[in-house]
Every structure is written in structure tokens, then in C-alpha cells.
Amino acid sequence: MKNCLVLITVLCLFSGTALADSEVNIYSARKENLIKPLLEQFTSETGIKVNLVAGKASALLKRLQVEGRNTPADLFLTADAGRLHVAKQAGLLQPVESKILSDAIPAHLRDKENQWFGLSRRARVIIYSKQRVKPDMLSTYEDLVNPKWKGKICIRSSGNIYNQSLLASMVAHQGKAAAQKWAAGVVANMARPPRGNDRAQVKAVAIGECDIAVVNSYYLGNMRTSSDQSERDAAAKVALFFPNQNDRGTHINISGAGITKYASNRGNARKLLEFMVDDKAQKWYADSNHEYPVKAGIEVSPVVKAWGYPFKEDNLDMGKLGRYNVTAVKIFDRVGWR
Ligand code: FE
């Protein structure tokens, strides 16, 4: 009887190991429907089961912190370099050396210490009313403080990480004082106190509440191809402008991921990261949400292509978006950007 129990225990241990070997657990701040088909493809190619917990980035970060060594998460997936930086600074990630990742992802789109990796690029652009604005009136982010835009700009709140990263990029390029002057100037030109998400800014331009807005380009792509007629109508009334084409280029951010410090399926997590930069995955990843691939030579979606591609991109090291995040948040507070 005793032997029998030992045998059962051993069998259980083995099956436990086998299970752990063939799975990977993700905490994802990206919407489930945006990555699910890709993860299913990964499972069918590798036999590795993917368990996905989707949630808000801040909540998932907190959860990783609270769980510590007991976390089931192997991979943390999120949109915005600022959040990946926060995860790294909090000691929640670990380095991974991979030639596949470093060959596929340009150096400025991944962490210098290999703790996080950009998986798609996004551009924060200017959207303008086709009716009321001529594209030659537009030029740079800096020009948004021009008095000609008084009462004409819509942009979301400063609590939003995309705006924090945009301002962080200005701190990196021009210093704190200039960035603060710029933020104050944008506040002075706002058509309304910030409210709503990026799509809401596009809609506000479409109904004439403002003439221009600053948004991530994929929102416009998703509105253009939306099943919701009102979103398609709004998107048809606006056009997209890439700022700063004659100097540093348009502000770029990333969605990306890092392996958690206490990952128990480290090898599988690494396989999944590598899978996400292969040509097929990059194409799908970019297509499905109208983003830009991180890997060179991958085509963008037809909607994205029509906006003009390639365009001049700001090649700022993404780590700086994280490094200057706190400065950016303080500036927003100081200038009263809600
Ligand atoms: Fe987004």
C-alpha cells in the first residue's frame, strides 16, 4: 500500500512537471481579442498552452508586485514603453538573451538590459478636420502652442500614459523648461477640458467641437474599418498628419513584453516572445490593430499604407519615455493639464 502511494505521488509529480513544461502564463494589458488568435497560433505550432489573464496595466503591475515569487505570470504584455519601464524599475522583470529578439527588434525599441522588448510600433499623430484645416497649416507638435490653434485642440487627459510618453519625449529632446512651456501652451489652446479616449477626440473633430486632435494612429485605422457606421462616418471627416517630418520625426511608442522575474516557464515565455517577432506574427500583429511592425520589411495594412509609409520617425530610445515619465507627470500637474 505504501509503495503504491509513493508510485502515485511520483506519477503526480511527473504529470505536474509535464503540464508546467507545456504552458505559459501571460498577464496582458492588451485587449484579449487583439492577441488571442496569435496565441492560438502559437499553441498549435508548439503545443505550448497559453493561459491569459487580461486586465488594466496598473492593476496587473500591482498584482505582480503583491504576488512576488508566487506569481503564476511568466510574461507581462502591455502597451507603452512607460509601463514596461515601471515594471523593470519595480524589479518585476528579468533579462533574456536572444539573438532572434535582438536581430528582429531595433535597439531603440527594446531595453538596453534585455528586460523588455517592443513588439509593435505606434505613432502619435495629429488628426485634422478635412473641412476646416488645410494640411499646410500643420507642421510640428511644437506648433500646437501657436495662437492660431486657440480653442481648437482636443486631446485626452494627462492621466493617460500615451500623453505622458509624448511629453516625456519632449523632455528628452528639449529639456524640462521647454517641455513645460509647451504643455502650458497646449492647455491654453484646448477646445475643452480633456475628456474621453483617443477615439473620442477623433469624434470631437468630426462633429466640429475642435479642429485638430492628437491621437495614436491605429485608432483612426480601427474607426475607418469599424463595423459601427458612426465610427466610419466620423473617421471619414478627418485626415491624418505626421508631425515633425522635417526634424526629429513623429513620436513613436511601442507595445511590448518582458519575462517576469519569477517566471516558472521561462523557456516557454522566451519561445512566445520569439514567436511574436517572426514575420507572420509581425504581419498579423500590425494588421489586426493597424499598428506598425517592429521588424523591418513587414508590410503594413492597406489603411495604414494609405497614410504614407514609411514616414520619418523619432528614433528616441524607448527607455527614455520611462525615465522621464515622472517629470512629465509633474509638468502636467504644474500647468493644469487635467
Ligand atoms: Fe491604445
Side-chain angles (χ1 to χ4, degrees):
M1 184 63 187
K2 201 176 161 199
N3 277 348
C4 199
L5 269 180
V6 169
L7 182 65
I8 287 170
T9 310
V10 168
L11 278 175
C12 283
L13 278 174
F14 266 108
S15 67
T17 315
L19 259 181
D21 273 352
S22 59
E23 68 177 9
V24 61
N25 301 301
I26 309 180
Y27 282 3
S28 170
R30 301 217 70 185
K31 287 203 189 77
E32 194 168 341
N33 59 355
L34 281 180
I35 51 167
K36 202 96 197 261
L38 197 61
L39 300 178
E40 280 164 4
Q41 185 63 29
F42 174 73
T43 300
S44 81
E45 280 179 27
T46 61
I48 298 167
K49 187 177 166 224
V50 182
N51 305 307
L52 183 71
V53 173
K56 284 216 177 271
S58 48
L60 294 174
L61 279 169
K62 182 141 245 168
R63 192 163 159 182
L64 276 172
Q65 235 152 357
V66 170
E67 288 169 345
R69 328 184 151 259
N70 298 320
T71 187
D74 301 304
L75 203 61
F76 173 60
L77 193 73
T78 191
D80 196 282
R83 298 240 197 262
L84 291 163
H85 177 85
V86 168
K88 180 188 172 186
Q89 290 310 106
L92 299 172
L93 303 177
Q94 63 169 303
V96 49
E97 304 299 327
S98 161
K99 190 165 158 30
I100 293 176
L101 292 174
S102 52
D103 282 353
I105 309 168
H108 69 287
L109 302 180
R110 54 185 155 88
D111 177 41
K112 297 279 162 287
E113 280 144 8
N114 296 315
Q115 294 204 23
W116 49 259
F117 300 85
L119 298 171
S120 67
R121 280 144 58 230
R122 42 261 305 277
R124 197 146 181 82
V125 298
I126 297 174
I127 293 296
Y128 63 94
S129 159
K130 285 183 188 167
Q131 222 175 33
R132 299 181 300 282
V133 176
K134 296 271 162 282
D136 63 7
M137 294 164 73
L138 295 161
S139 57
T140 58
Y141 298 108
E142 286 78 0
D143 186 59
L144 296 176
V145 307
N146 190 315
K148 75 182 177 198
W149 299 118
K150 185 138 193 85
K152 300 202 186 302
I153 301 178
C154 276
I155 185 162
R156 74 199 285 183
S157 79
S158 64
N160 171 253
I161 190 93
Y162 302 150
N163 280 342
Q164 291 171 12
S165 287
L166 173 61
L167 186 57
S169 80
M170 307 214 51
V171 174
H173 284 297
Q174 298 166 357
K176 222 156 93 175
Q180 179 161 329
K181 216 172 146 200
W182 178 79
V186 173
V187 171
N189 282 345
M190 284 179 185
R192 58 177 194 181
R195 64 163 186 272
N197 55 18
D198 278 8
R199 282 175 202 253
Q201 314 310 314
V202 176
K203 287 176 188 163
V205 173
I207 62 169
E209 216 175 334
C210 31
D211 285 356
I212 58 176
V214 178
V215 305
N216 285 358
S217 63
Y218 56 86
Y219 287 108
L220 184 63
N222 286 323
M223 289 175 77
R224 287 257 158 94
T225 55
S226 173
S227 55
D228 177 343
Q229 178 77 41
S230 71
E231 287 208 329
R232 291 202 304 278
D233 289 347
K237 294 201 168 86
V238 305
L240 182 151
F241 183 84
F242 291 107
N244 297 73
Q245 290 304 285
N246 296 321
D247 47 62
R248 68 179 180 274
T250 297
H251 170 63
I252 296 295
N253 205 326
I254 49 165
S255 80
I259 299 184
T260 63
K261 175 132 187 221
Y262 299 110
S264 36
N265 302 292
R266 193 172 183 274
N268 290 348
R270 177 186 155 155
K271 270 186 209 155
L272 180 52
L273 275 178
E274 291 174 347
F275 170 83
M276 282 172 132
V277 297
D278 87 14
D279 288 9
K280 247 188 338 191
Q282 280 287 297
K283 174 94 181 90
W284 185 89
Y285 211 49
D287 265 357
S288 64
N289 197 37
H290 302 291
E291 292 182 55
Y292 297 92
V294 285
K295 196 177 192 178
I298 309 291
E299 254 192 79
V300 294
S301 80
V303 173
V304 172
K305 186 133 200 198
W307 294 331
Y309 185 71
F311 58 92
K312 183 154 189 207
E313 300 178 29
D314 181 355
N315 284 332
L316 185 71
D317 165 21
M318 289 290 106
K320 292 203 172 146
L321 302 185
R323 197 171 326 147
Y324 294 117
N325 178 273
V326 173
T327 308
V329 171
K330 279 189 193 151
I331 291 175
F332 278 137
D333 270 356
R334 244 178 259 140
V335 303
W337 183 323
R338 276 203 237 152

